[in-house]
Amino acid sequence: MRFDDLGLLPELTRALADQGYTDPTPVQAQAIPPALAGQDLLAAAQTGTGKTAAFALPLLQRLSALPRQPGQTRPRALVLTPTRELALQVNESLRAYGNHLRLKTAVIFGGVGMQPQVDALRRGVDIVVACPGRLIDHMGRRSVDLSGISILVLDEADRMLDMGFLPAMQRVLAALPRQNRQTLLFSATFPEPIKALAREFMRSPVEVQVAARNSVAATVSHRVHPVDAARKRELLLELLSRDSRRQTLVFARTKHGSDKLAKFLDASGLRCAVIHGNKSQNARTRALSDFKAGKATIMIATDIAARGIDIDQLPVVINFELPMVAEDYVHRIGRTGRAGAEGQAISLVCPEESSQLRDIQRVIGRDIEQELVAGFEPHQPLRLDGRGPGQPARRAGGGGGGGGGQAQGQRGRPGAGRGTGQPTRAGAGRAGQPGGRTGAGRDGQSGERSGRGGDAGGAGRDGQPGKRRASGHGHAGAARGAAGAGPTGGRGDRAAASPHRHAEGNDRRPAGGQPGQRRRAPRSGS
């Protein structure tokens, strides 16, 4: 099948030919016909399969069939994206595909001044490509009129949900006209919350799924190098030095960690570009341009930028640290092996990340080959049986009865914590240290439980101890028994869902052991 067979306008097929495209990808072949017919669409396909063209081409054709009336300035189509980089990429694609059409676009995102965006909207545009946060700002200032939107595209909708944009998305959707509006929802993955959103805001959508959920490109090879955490930087330098001319995208977990890693590599003679949420938009755009142009052969990025990096023929992606959410592995490595090209996905994994690697293998449905690098062997092997070094079976502190255990309901035992009823410290992040409590991981595991009145030490979504403080009253998943001998706690997954736990904060449970109460400090003289 060729693009000519899909019923596209000659202006669009000519623009595609200018870009070197003649044959549609599977998602394009399945999504374009119903989108051209005006039907709502739910399309899921792995990253790098051409989702942008799958919605951009029918959007451009349908708008060109209904020219903008003289004097009309309000936009007629809206594309929502999770990141600035992706918004810029989509806007570039719309301009390239619509090169022979008289349609105007504007891109709206944060990190830059609002006035140029306001001026562009006042001049009149046909298509707005926006990030939800900045679009809400324009709505509040009444500088954008969404009453004329007839086509809505939600691009990378699952990522917007992951980033907490659901309330903003719902607010934007509520401001759009419901009648005669076509909604196209494209996403790399297709979780249940996406379907729930579709049921609320879409009308009998056509579902397109060209690959299994969370699948990865068959042209990408996967490899894990086990290494101690303290030697990851040295191993990364060793791998990069083997071919310093090869373009490599390196993913780190945090913004601060990305900057530190870049300084280390720069000091070693390797030029790096860095992109993360703390960088200004100009710095992010410049870094991406330098990387694409080959001025910097190494790009260090966080997950926030994973969806917006589109580089032709990128050969290698390296996970310096595994993502906290297993599904993000799919999006990270989707930067390589695009459009049928071959790619490599290399992960540097320390024993403490064994549980994350296990989750990733479960998500992608395959085992990843482990390869030791001479001179960088870890002190202990990776454990993928559910009891890895990062999540040992620990003992709880004394005082309130042990609790938690694994998600399967294993019982913790009272350990050698502090005395009866005294609070223990939050988990310190070392295997076997008593007293703390690991927070619920993504797989529902809840590690140990402190005695009554103890602070609940937090783990992030990987279930690692000591990363952050959990919140709430500190009694989720455990009964209040006698000191050192009370009944054990409940299942880890029930603990994770306790209504007494919320984002971050301190344990408010008093030493008396009753949840939900605070003790007031005695007034002087009382």
Side-chain angles (χ1 to χ4, degrees), residues 253 324-325 355-356 359 391 437-446 457-470 501 504:
R253 187 178 299 160
M324 304 293 284
V325 181
S355 62
Q356 293 158 258
D359 291 344
Q391 289 182 324
R437 176 189 186 278
T438 59
R442 277 188 46 80
D443 51 0
Q445 295 180 347
S446 72
R461 284 170 283 186
D462 58 345
Q464 300 285 335
K467 298 294 183 186
R468 57 186 249 199
R469 296 181 63 82
R501 300 188 59 214
E504 287 190 34

Side-chain angles (χ1 to χ4, degrees), residues 3 23-30 48-51 339:
F3 281 113
D23 301 326
T25 64
V27 67
Q28 293 164 0
Q30 294 186 39
T49 55
K51 294 191 300 295

Side-chain angles (χ1 to χ4, degrees), residues 179-209:
Q179 293 184 346
N180 302 321
R181 187 192 77 208
Q182 181 185 24
T183 303
L184 309 177
L185 191 153
F186 283 75
S187 179
T189 57
F190 215 2
E192 285 302 320
I194 297 297
K195 293 185 177 181
L197 191 70
R199 287 191 292 269
E200 183 177 358
F201 293 104
M202 301 177 75
R203 298 168 299 161
S204 305
V206 176
E207 294 193 21
V208 172
Q209 187 158 345

Side-chain angles (χ1 to χ4, degrees), residues 265-334:
L265 295 177
D266 281 334
S268 303
L270 298 176
R271 186 176 178 186
C272 303
V274 183
I275 184 169
H276 57 63
N278 278 357
K279 297 286 185 181
S280 68
Q281 184 55 43
N282 288 336
R284 290 164 68 165
T285 302
R286 183 170 59 252
L288 192 55
S289 297
D290 287 348
F291 187 55
K292 288 184 175 181
K295 295 180 181 179
T297 56
I298 302 166
M299 167 81 80
I300 301 176
T302 55
D303 288 310
I304 192 69
R307 301 290 185 93
I309 300 176
D310 184 15
I311 300 161
D312 292 335
Q313 307 300 319
L314 179 66
V316 183
V317 169
I318 296 180
N319 293 302
F320 179 74
E321 296 161 312
L322 292 182
M324 304 293 284
V325 181
E327 286 80 1
D328 282 342
Y329 178 84
V330 177
H331 306 308
R332 285 185 178 188
I333 68 171

Side-chain angles (χ1 to χ4, degrees), residues 397-401 415-424 435 450-454 482-484 511:
R418 299 190 180 186
T420 303
Q422 295 184 357
T424 59
S450 67
R452 291 187 296 176

Side-chain angles (χ1 to χ4, degrees), residues 106-273:
V107 60
I108 292 176
F109 49 74
V112 296
M114 290 186 68
Q115 193 56 45
Q117 299 171 1
V118 172
D119 294 340
L121 292 169
R122 285 176 178 171
R123 288 192 296 267
V125 296
D126 296 286
I127 306 167
V128 169
V129 183
C131 296
R134 176 53 65 92
L135 183 60
I136 293 292
D137 293 339
H138 281 284
M139 292 169 59
R141 294 181 53 170
R142 299 182 183 275
S143 54
V144 63
D145 182 1
L146 302 179
S147 63
I149 297 297
S150 60
I151 303 175
L152 169 68
V153 179
L154 300 176
D155 191 19
E156 305 287 12
D158 56 342
R159 185 62 173 172
M160 285 192 277
L161 290 175
D162 292 340
M163 295 172 65
F165 283 137
L166 181 59
M169 292 167 62
Q170 292 173 328
R171 182 174 173 183
V172 171
L173 289 168
L176 302 179
R178 286 183 174 270
Q179 293 184 346
N180 302 321
R181 187 192 77 208
Q182 181 185 24
T183 303
L184 309 177
L185 191 153
F186 283 75
S187 179
T189 57
F190 215 2
E192 285 302 320
I194 297 297
K195 293 185 177 181
L197 191 70
R199 287 191 292 269
E200 183 177 358
F201 293 104
M202 301 177 75
R203 298 168 299 161
S204 305
V206 176
E207 294 193 21
V208 172
Q209 187 158 345
V210 298
R213 177 182 170 184
N214 294 323
S215 62
V216 295
T219 55
V220 176
S221 62
H222 306 254
R223 187 165 72 249
V224 162
H225 292 310
V227 61
D228 287 330
R231 303 204 64 196
K232 276 193 176 188
R233 294 196 309 178
E234 300 172 46
L235 177 55
L236 177 63
L237 180 61
E238 167 70 18
L239 297 176
L240 294 174
S241 299
R242 292 177 181 178
D243 188 356
S244 59
R245 297 169 299 177
R246 181 176 63 178
Q247 272 193 312
T248 304
L249 177 59
V250 179
F251 279 105
R253 187 178 299 160
T254 66
K255 306 167 190 175
H256 179 63
S258 300
D259 290 333
K260 287 182 61 178
L261 187 58
K263 289 179 181 178
F264 170 78
L265 295 177
D266 281 334
S268 303
L270 298 176
R271 186 176 178 186
C272 303

Side-chain angles (χ1 to χ4, degrees), residues 328-506:
D328 282 342
Y329 178 84
V330 177
H331 306 308
R332 285 185 178 188
I333 68 171
R335 303 306 105 194
T336 186
R338 300 173 75 88
E342 294 185 354
Q344 295 183 51
I346 299 173
S347 301
L348 311 185
V349 183
C350 62
E352 292 77 13
E353 294 175 307
S354 295
S355 62
Q356 293 158 258
L357 178 58
R358 184 176 67 249
D359 291 344
I360 288 170
Q361 292 185 156
R362 183 166 58 242
V363 164
I364 66 175
R366 69 176 73 174
D367 291 336
I368 301 178
E369 175 190 1
Q370 297 185 30
E371 180 181 312
L372 294 172
V373 178
F376 293 93
E377 298 85 353
H379 286 87
Q380 50 184 322
L382 305 182
R383 294 285 299 276
L384 304 179
D385 56 0
R387 296 283 294 274
Q391 289 182 324
R394 298 194 183 187
R395 295 188 176 190
Q406 302 294 326
Q408 291 79 8
Q410 296 176 348
R411 298 181 171 220
R413 293 178 299 172
R418 299 190 180 186
T420 303
Q422 295 184 357
T424 59
R425 297 185 61 189
R430 291 192 177 185
Q433 181 173 340
R437 176 189 186 278
T438 59
R442 277 188 46 80
D443 51 0
Q445 295 180 347
S446 72
E448 64 183 287
R449 164 89 189 158
S450 67
R452 291 187 296 176
D455 285 336
R461 284 170 283 186
D462 58 345
Q464 300 285 335
K467 298 294 183 186
R468 57 186 249 199
R469 296 181 63 82
S471 65
H473 306 286
H475 65 281
R480 300 185 295 275
T488 58
R491 293 170 56 90
D493 51 358
R494 293 177 63 85
S498 168
H500 298 291
R501 300 188 59 214
H502 36 275
E504 287 190 34
N506 295 323

